[in-house]
Every structure is written in structure tokens, then in C-alpha cells.
Amino acid sequence: MSQLQRNTTAKKSKGQTQGDVLVEKIPLKLKPTEETLARDIQRESARVWNTVMTIHRLFWFKYGVWIDEAMMKEFLKGRFNVHSQDVQAIIETYYECWERTRKLHEEGHPEWRYPWRLKRFFTSTWKVTGITVEDKNLRLSNGWKKPPLKVKLPARLKGMAIKQVQLVWRRNGYWLHVAVVKPALEKVQGDAVAAVDPGEVHALTLTDGQEALVINGRHLRSLRRLRNKTLRKFQKAISRTKKGSNRRRKLLAAKYRFLNWIGAQISHAEHAVTKMAADWCLERGIKKVYLGDPQGVREQDCGRHHNQRMSQWSFGRLRELLEYKLKRHGITLEKIEERGTSGTCPLCGKYTKQTGRVYQCGNMECGFSGMHRDVLGATGILDLAVNGRFTPGRKLPEIVSYAWPAVLAPVQVSKMKAA
Ligand SMILES: [Zn+2]
């Protein structure tokens, strides 16, 4: 196992609170000469990484000293054909990674390896002084020996302060990860609480006890299914080709094109769903949202690394996005184990496994019915979070509204399909 993690999230600079730093990922369309330059820059970045690692290890083996970060920076100053900030960023990434591994070893996890692999290419970083915005273009300078890399700046990023740019190789192509400062959003007024129940057919169901909102997730589900189905087709077609053949190369390129296209569609749908939820909470002055966690993972502290991994497993992208959007409004999200929430009768408290969309109590004497199952699930989560248990005869929301998130016009799919 390796602790190397791309340092993609830009660090927030001190004292700046008027906006939220956000990373935008942009696929690049480069001309052959630009592609060569990009490869060259990444190769030089890899040379920095390899040098740092080799020197760091060598000094330890030969002299028993670990060179510190400041000394390394001083030592490598002006020795590479990339922007000086890139050299510094790579040194910082290396030391972060090394330090994290050292801590893990101390905590009794010797299975994590110190950085050891020599790289051929490495993500390049530009910070403020290496970045110039010229009209519609972004100019990334590479020291005085190399020409700058110029790329078109997407319209949506115009006028925003750019904190950091990274050149990343992903899915068979170059991408820019641009860290921009987005204007701060309106902060929530009030201290109400709400619960949200994530699901497949209904992406998110929210309630504050009085009202409920059911956000449709069919579009999102169909996109995810299309993604999986098409990927399987590609995989099958690719497995029938020879390694290094022209046919395989073409199929791989088509596969990545499809992944980029469907990724953008899914991402757009997820943004629409979570924006609706965040707006709903903001309007109702909700300060805290409880999220039903299907994994049944309780909120507990198991150390930073474990927590991080746990949240990556149990939180899908949709949930991460929701948490992020709520946070921008000053709303916190807390996970609640959702076991039993959609099956427990709000009237008698008996548990009945549900099969339909409308709740039906299995207790003959009670027979409660007529409530949307996911709405009931959300009220159950709220009840559990606020009262610590299911309250028999609890109040149910009187107004239930349904929302269909706006959908992007579909792009021609036939071209993307595997032959
Ligand atoms: Zn009942």
C-alpha cells in the first residue's frame, strides 16, 4: 500500500473567508505540439519527484540523517525546467506523504509503504505567480527555458480568482484541475432540524416534520445503468482484441470518450438533485440535517485515516455533494443509522418489511397505510435523531411535494456505443 495521494485540494490561504475554494476539472483538447509540451512538463515534474525521493533516502542510508523540507527546497532551487512553484509543490507533496506514512507506522500500521516508486510522469502544479489570465486564455509559465502552456479558460470560470492549477493525466487525456474561489453563499438563518433519506427511485427524500420533499432519482438511476451497461460492452469488446492492436487503441479511446460524456451527465444530475435539497433546507431555516446511512455505520471516531476511508465507502458521490452544498450555506450533516426507519409503523411502532411504495402496517389491529414509504423513512430518521427512538403515534408531515430535477438535453449517444 502506498500513501501517495494527489494533492488536488488547494489549501485555503489564511485570513480569506469571502469565498469557498473549489476544484473544477476541465478536460483539455491539445494540439500535437501542446501535447508534447504537456508530456514534457509532466516528465520534468516526475524528475523532481524522483530526485527528492532519491536524495531523501540516500542521505538516510549513507549518513543516517533525514533531510528536512526547508533544506530540500533550498537544495533543489533552480535545478529543474519547470516553474519554481511546481518544484516546491512536489517537495511539499512528498513530505506530506512521508510524514503521513511515518505517523501510520508509529500508530502500528507498518503495511503502509514510504514513497518508493520512480515515476515517469507526475502531476504538475502552478500557483498564483505562475498563472496569468490573458483575455480568454490561461497562461501557465514553465520557467525561462520552456514555453508557457496556454489553454482556453471555460466561460464559467471567467472573473473568478484562481488559486492553483494542476495538470493531471486522467482517462487517456490531459485535464486541468483548477482551484477557484467561489463567492460565499447565503448563510442559513434559524436552527431547525431535518432528515434526509437517500434512495434509488427517489434520490433524496427530506422532511422537517411539517413538510416533506421527494426528489425524483429515476433519471440519475437510468444514467448510472447506461454507464454500467455500456462499460460492460466495452470491456467485452476490448477483451477480444490483441494487446497493442489498432482496434484496441480505438476502443479504449471510445471508452474514455464515453466515460467523460456520461460522467458529465451524471455529475449534472447529481448537482441538480443536491441543489434542490440544499435550497429547500435554506428556505426553511434548517441548521442541521440528519442523513440515513444505509451502511449502518455509526458516527464514531476511529482515527482520521479510518474515518476518511469509512466515509469514502459509505458516502456516495451524491451524499458528498449534498454535504458540501449544505456546508456552503452553513448547514451541518450528520449520519444516522437508518435500520428499521422505513419499516416501523408511525402509529403502533411495529416493524413490517415493506415491498410497495406506499407504507402498509402488518399489525392487523393498526393497519396504518397511505403514507409514502420514503417520506415515512425520513420521518423515522428525524424521530431517531431527535428523540433517540421511534415515538408511537408521531406527527407526520402534512404537505408532501414532488420534484423532478432539471435534465440536460441528451447528446447523441449512438457515436459513443461500443461497436
Ligand atoms: Zn401500525
Side-chain angles (χ1 to χ4, degrees):
M1 277 185 274
S2 161
Q3 264 288 298
L4 178 61
Q5 231 180 30
R6 293 254 160 84
N7 191 14
T8 44
T9 37
K11 283 173 203 155
K12 280 189 188 174
S13 52
K14 283 162 211 150
Q16 264 208 327
T17 45
Q18 59 274 66
D20 302 314
V21 176
L22 185 86
V23 179
E24 292 269 353
K25 296 174 183 172
I26 306 154
L28 292 180
K29 279 189 192 118
L30 299 175
K31 291 179 203 124
T33 50
E34 294 170 331
E35 183 113 16
T36 313
L37 177 63
R39 200 172 302 129
D40 231 40
I41 298 167
Q42 280 214 328
R43 211 176 265 143
E44 190 69 3
S45 295
R47 205 163 74 83
V48 179
W49 171 269
N50 294 343
T51 309
V52 174
M53 192 174 73
T54 311
I55 291 176
H56 199 229
R57 295 191 144 220
L58 195 79
F59 266 75
W60 171 251
F61 288 127
K62 261 197 144 165
Y63 308 108
V65 234
W66 288 117
I67 296 184
D68 69 11
E69 196 176 321
M71 205 193 279
M72 188 68 84
K73 279 183 178 169
E74 192 55 40
F75 187 61
L76 294 181
K77 215 181 230 174
R79 285 175 196 262
F80 296 93
N81 292 328
V82 280
H83 199 276
S84 61
Q85 286 173 337
D86 184 31
V87 179
Q88 295 200 0
I90 293 166
I91 295 173
E92 280 160 21
T93 306
Y94 175 85
Y95 276 92
E96 255 176 55
C97 176
W98 187 83
E99 198 54 44
R100 227 183 298 145
T101 315
R102 197 181 59 83
K103 281 217 184 91
L104 278 169
H105 279 222
E106 272 178 14
E107 287 161 10
H109 303 282
E111 70 275 19
W112 295 94
R113 282 191 81 164
Y114 284 106
W116 61 280
R117 201 192 292 273
L118 289 172
K119 307 270 178 191
R120 283 185 62 213
F121 301 100
F122 201 80
T123 296
S124 309
T125 307
W126 289 267
K127 290 188 183 167
V128 184
T129 60
I131 308 164
T132 331
V133 181
E134 291 173 337
D135 196 21
K136 286 173 191 164
N137 290 318
L138 198 61
R139 184 182 182 276
L140 304 166
S141 60
N142 297 306
W144 56 277
K145 278 187 183 167
K146 258 197 188 69
L149 184 68
K150 282 183 192 170
V151 289
K152 221 181 137 208
L153 190 67
R156 65 173 191 278
L157 298 186
K158 232 168 259 173
M160 282 184 199
I162 295 170
K163 287 274 153 196
Q164 180 181 289
V165 177
Q166 289 191 310
L167 180 67
V168 179
W169 176 263
R170 179 170 170 244
R171 281 186 196 153
N172 220 22
Y174 285 107
W175 292 63
L176 278 194
H177 289 187
V178 184
V180 289
V181 183
K182 291 234 162 158
L185 295 181
E186 185 192 341
K187 292 285 175 282
V188 69
Q189 303 290 319
D191 53 3
V193 290
V196 53
D197 186 15
E200 276 253 295
V201 179
H202 304 109
L204 296 173
T205 304
L206 297 109
T207 186
D208 61 354
Q210 338 280 317
E211 278 178 74
L213 174 71
V214 183
I215 304 172
N216 197 289
R218 279 181 204 272
H219 175 59
L220 198 53
R221 187 176 62 167
S222 72
L223 283 173
R224 284 184 188 138
R225 282 184 179 170
L226 175 65
R227 182 184 189 275
N228 296 343
K229 204 175 119 192
T230 314
L231 259 189
R232 271 199 303 275
K233 271 191 193 166
F234 269 120
Q235 254 14 87
K236 211 172 157 192
I238 289 166
S239 72
R240 282 199 222 103
T241 58
K242 277 202 198 93
K243 243 186 186 167
S245 67
N246 242 346
R247 174 105 187 105
R248 169 170 292 207
R249 203 170 44 78
K250 275 184 188 158
L251 274 170
L252 278 172
K255 180 181 122 178
Y256 288 122
R257 252 196 329 273
F258 169 75
L259 277 178
N260 289 345
W261 173 78
I262 196 94
Q265 299 279 317
I266 290 175
S267 169
H268 179 83
E270 285 171 338
H271 271 284
V273 166
T274 48
K275 177 154 195 322
M276 265 182 184
D279 287 350
W280 190 89
C281 291
L282 184 68
E283 276 167 32
R284 280 155 189 82
I286 284 151
K287 188 78 185 156
K288 188 165 193 176
V289 175
Y290 295 99
L291 173 92
D293 188 355
Q295 303 274 322
V297 182
R298 282 181 181 279
E299 277 292 307
Q300 53 182 211
D301 202 47
C302 313
R304 188 163 55 93
H305 296 284
H306 184 70
N307 278 350
Q308 195 192 348
R309 262 181 290 160
M310 288 310 274
S311 76
Q312 275 161 6
W313 284 334
S314 60
F315 264 66
R317 268 246 327 149
L318 188 75
R319 274 158 254 178
E320 258 172 43
L321 213 53
L322 178 67
E323 184 170 26
Y324 166 78
K325 290 220 157 124
L326 292 174
K327 203 172 146 199
R328 288 192 71 191
H329 290 300
I331 305 166
T332 52
L333 188 82
E334 194 183 300
K335 278 186 277 177
I336 286 283
E337 193 179 357
E338 71 164 8
R339 197 177 302 155
T341 47
S342 64
T344 307
C345 178
L347 217 61
C348 67
K350 191 184 176 293
Y351 180 86
T352 318
K353 195 170 162 52
Q354 296 297 311
T355 46
R357 296 317 305 175
V358 174
Y359 185 84
Q360 178 65 54
C361 180
N363 183 357
M364 297 305 267
E365 283 160 41
C366 168
F368 174 84
S369 178
M371 190 97 218
H372 190 295
R373 190 175 85 183
D374 287 345
V375 174
L376 204 70
T379 65
I381 293 163
L382 191 63
D383 200 16
L384 266 187
V386 175
N387 304 316
R389 64 188 188 97
F390 293 115
T391 319
R394 69 168 181 259
K395 204 172 156 278
L396 294 171
E398 282 161 13
I399 311 161
V400 178
S401 28
Y402 293 82
W404 283 263
V407 174
L408 264 187
V411 182
Q412 208 181 342
V413 193
S414 56
K415 273 189 189 167
M416 316 273 182
K417 285 210 177 119

